[in-house]
Amino acid sequence: MRGLLARVLAGCIAVAIGVARADLGDFALQKVLQASTEIFGDTAVDTTTTTTTSASAAKPYADWMSAIPDSTPLARLNIPGAHDAATWNYTSATQASLSYATRCDGVTPQPPQTYRTQRRGIGDALDAGVRFFDLRFALDPIDGGLAFWHGAALLSGRSAVDDVLFAFYAWLARHPREVVLLSFQYEGGTKEGAGFSGRAQELLVSALTEGAAGEYVRRDGGGRLGTLGESRGKVVLLRRFDLDEGRYGGLVLPGLHLSPGRWPDNEEEGFALVYNDTTNATAFIEDYYEPADLGVNSTVAGNVAAKLDAVRMHLEKAAAAAAAVNITTNDADGEEEEEEEDSLFITFASGEHNTNNPPVFPETMALGNGTEATPDGGVNQQLAAVLRDMQGSRLGIVVLDFFDEPEDLVGLVIGS
Ligand SMILES: *[C@@H]1O[C@H](CO)[C@@H](O)[C@H](O)[C@H]1NC(C)=O
Ligand SMILES: *[C@@H]1O[C@H](CO)[C@@H](O)[C@H](O)[C@H]1NC(C)=O
Ligand SMILES: *[C@@H]1O[C@H](CO)[C@@H](O)[C@H](O)[C@H]1NC(C)=O
Ligand SMILES: *[C@@H]1O[C@H](CO)[C@@H](O)[C@H](O)[C@H]1NC(C)=O
Ligand SMILES: *[C@@H]1O[C@H](CO)[C@@H](O)[C@H](O)[C@H]1NC(C)=O
Ligand SMILES: *[C@@H]1O[C@H](CO)[C@@H](O)[C@H](O)[C@H]1NC(C)=O
């Protein structure tokens, strides 16, 4: 991958020439950022619209965290997220351009709509106020580096994980009071025989801990979500992967470990995931992504209703938990309060029923199918109505497909 090479060169050049010729380092950075655009979007290199000074009415949420007090626990913020954020440009043209890299063991690739859950780039999402990104990685087709995938779909042959991390860092450097939560999940099913192997683990550990990651990824022993103040200008990691105990048993990676082994599949009621066994700090998660129990001949409206119910119930749980903390705060000691402060709510509003007839693709689920069959739109339009009624409540992280529609959705998550 060219981007990775550029990064290595940047490091070598910086070491070789030091500050005297720092402008070469800038050129090298531009090269890395250029390599990131297929996943991050063109704003990685065209930053004219994303500087703090130009924040305007057009981008009211570009720096929304800056006004919130440092002492606020991250778990108490309402944070809009982008589900499978790297899929935004996975059109038929992109799928065709990557056909050389699709699996060749007889697995037929699904239509591109199966994999696509966004249509705006990551930089656009950041500027729009999105602060949580669901990213799926695995080894690239030649095991040369780490690439972004959604299932069997390679999402870019050019933008490597390292390149895109640099683009996040560069954005944070321009928005030093913001915090970005990055959820890294090892994506299975990418190609025949693929697994989270030694090489993939080694590359990921290096990407998340070495070089610029040391500056930009919040590292404090892990297992604590902490406050906004201690995280500003940084990435907070959510680790949806397990490292080999044998090799990495002693290594404490930054961020929260949301172990895949503790993440039940497609659980309608949501579940509790303890991410720190010492403090019992818990993430409450709703990730009911496929209403499979409706059967394969279900309607779009039926699928949207089933998904929206799961989302609404979970958001109400988050709001009620906040109310419970208020009671705890009044009559118990500070210790109990602190325990609650790290209780994180993550609600996935994303979903699909691709195996239905006709398929309910992620876009159909999020936005409806544009006919009288979905007069109230999809999950997103109906969620906007739910959120209007819940303004002022604690929601936690709300992870969206097609976050840009309706236009006020991200703002409704953030609240006033
Ligand atoms: C999006 O995909 C199209 C078609 O594959 C491609 O021409 C375009 O360069 C891509 N956009 C970015 C920002 O990479
Ligand atoms: C759990 O949290 C405690 C207290 O913040 C911290 O010292 C410890 O390192 C964390 N454990 C893990 C496994 O992250
Ligand atoms: C964590 O939960 C376990 C099981 O419910 C309990 O035994 C333990 O005392 C709890 N630890 C803390 C620090 O609350
Ligand atoms: C779904 O509809 C098809 C065609 O109408 C029918 O053959 C099939 O039995 C139905 N499947 C279920 C599970 O109802
Ligand atoms: C919209 O959904 C309805 C009901 O699920 C279905 O009958 C119809 O074919 C769909 N229309 C389009 C254009 O997808
Ligand atoms: C909890 O307390 C805060 C601060 O006093 C208050 O703003 C908020 O409305 C309360 N939440 C609930 C659900 O009572």
Side-chain angles (χ1 to χ4, degrees):
M1 299 220 167
R2 272 183 282 160
L4 182 58
L5 178 62
R7 191 179 73 86
V8 172
L9 281 175
C12 298
I13 290 165
V15 168
I17 61 182
V19 286
R21 297 285 296 275
D23 51 341
L24 254 189
D26 289 344
F27 286 125
L29 175 62
Q30 282 310 308
K31 224 177 146 176
V32 179
L33 296 180
Q34 189 66 54
S36 78
T37 57
E38 287 186 1
I39 294 295
F40 195 84
D42 282 329
T43 61
V45 284
D46 173 19
T47 57
T48 51
T49 57
T50 65
T51 55
T52 313
T53 46
S54 74
S56 63
K59 293 190 197 303
Y61 300 110
D63 293 283
W64 67 268
M65 289 174 161
S66 63
I68 299 171
D70 279 356
S71 59
T72 310
L74 287 176
R76 307 294 296 181
L77 290 178
N78 294 346
I79 299 178
H83 167 251
D84 261 304
T87 63
W88 65 279
N89 199 27
Y90 199 72
T91 58
S92 304
T94 299
Q95 188 177 52
S97 74
L98 290 165
S99 60
Y100 72 92
T102 54
R103 22 191 317 166
C104 47
D105 55 344
V107 173
T108 315
Q110 302 294 311
Q113 305 97 296
T114 310
Y115 305 106
R116 190 178 187 189
T117 66
Q118 305 292 342
R119 61 185 167 205
R120 301 279 304 278
I122 289 174
D124 286 345
L126 285 163
D127 290 346
V130 173
R131 294 290 177 270
F132 169 99
F133 293 85
D134 167 36
L135 300 168
R136 316 282 173 95
F137 70 92
L139 285 173
D140 67 30
I142 57 163
D143 293 357
L146 296 178
F148 295 95
W149 299 77
H150 190 189
L154 176 68
L155 300 174
S156 166
R158 183 165 186 235
S159 302
V161 166
D162 287 276
D163 305 325
V164 174
L165 279 171
F166 265 80
F168 275 110
Y169 305 155
W171 188 89
L172 281 166
R174 295 193 303 278
H175 300 268
R177 292 182 60 78
E178 303 302 294
V179 178
V180 175
L181 289 84
L182 296 187
S183 164
F184 272 91
Q185 178 180 4
Y186 176 74
E187 188 73 338
T190 56
K191 53 185 180 174
E192 198 178 6
F196 194 29
S197 63
R199 176 155 173 77
Q201 294 187 23
E202 202 177 291
L203 288 167
L204 188 74
V205 167
S206 143
L208 298 179
T209 58
E210 290 172 13
E215 283 293 315
Y216 282 94
V217 178
R218 206 193 84 196
R219 54 196 321 171
D220 54 2
R224 249 186 83 249
L225 197 53
T227 65
L228 182 57
E230 63 188 310
S231 313
R232 289 196 199 276
K234 299 209 187 268
V235 165
V236 172
L237 278 180
L238 304 178
R239 291 153 22 221
R240 291 183 64 184
F241 55 83
D242 296 328
L243 297 176
D244 284 345
E245 268 302 307
R247 287 183 70 192
Y248 295 105
L251 177 74
V252 182
L253 281 179
L256 307 190
H257 185 201
L258 306 182
S259 173
R262 295 180 176 189
W263 190 296
D265 190 51
N266 207 29
E267 187 73 49
E268 190 172 352
E269 311 281 319
F271 57 93
L273 188 159
V274 174
Y275 60 81
N276 183 321
D277 289 324
T278 311
T279 60
N280 280 349
T282 303
F284 297 93
I285 300 168
E286 178 275 311
D287 186 19
Y288 176 55
Y289 60 85
E290 185 179 65
D293 34 341
L294 296 181
V296 296
N297 291 329
S298 50
T299 63
V300 178
N303 280 276
V304 168
K307 177 66 209 185
L308 188 73
D309 274 352
V311 171
R312 188 197 287 113
M313 271 172 43
H314 206 254
L315 293 178
E316 283 167 1
K317 209 171 137 182
V325 171
N326 277 7
I327 293 160
T328 309
T329 308
N330 291 340
D331 29 80
D333 54 13
E335 209 177 298
E336 229 174 320
E337 185 191 349
E338 193 166 318
E339 199 182 304
E340 291 288 343
E341 277 178 357
D342 263 10
S343 289
L344 176 64
F345 279 79
I346 309 179
T347 302
F348 284 84
S350 48
E352 44 77 12
H353 198 168
N354 291 326
T355 55
N356 194 61
N357 179 27
V360 180
F361 293 125
E363 183 169 359
T364 323
M365 183 72 102
L367 308 177
N369 83 354
T371 72
E372 64 278 9
T374 52
D376 301 321
V379 168
N380 287 12
Q381 285 83 10
Q382 297 183 40
L383 175 61
V386 170
L387 295 177
R388 270 182 215 109
D389 288 343
M390 291 185 79
Q391 288 303 285
S393 302
R394 183 260 194 120
L395 307 172
I397 300 173
V398 183
V399 191
L400 307 163
D401 275 350
F402 300 91
F403 73 85
D404 55 313
E405 190 175 339
E407 217 177 326
D408 58 347
L409 187 57
V410 163
L412 284 168
V413 172
I414 295 170
S416 42

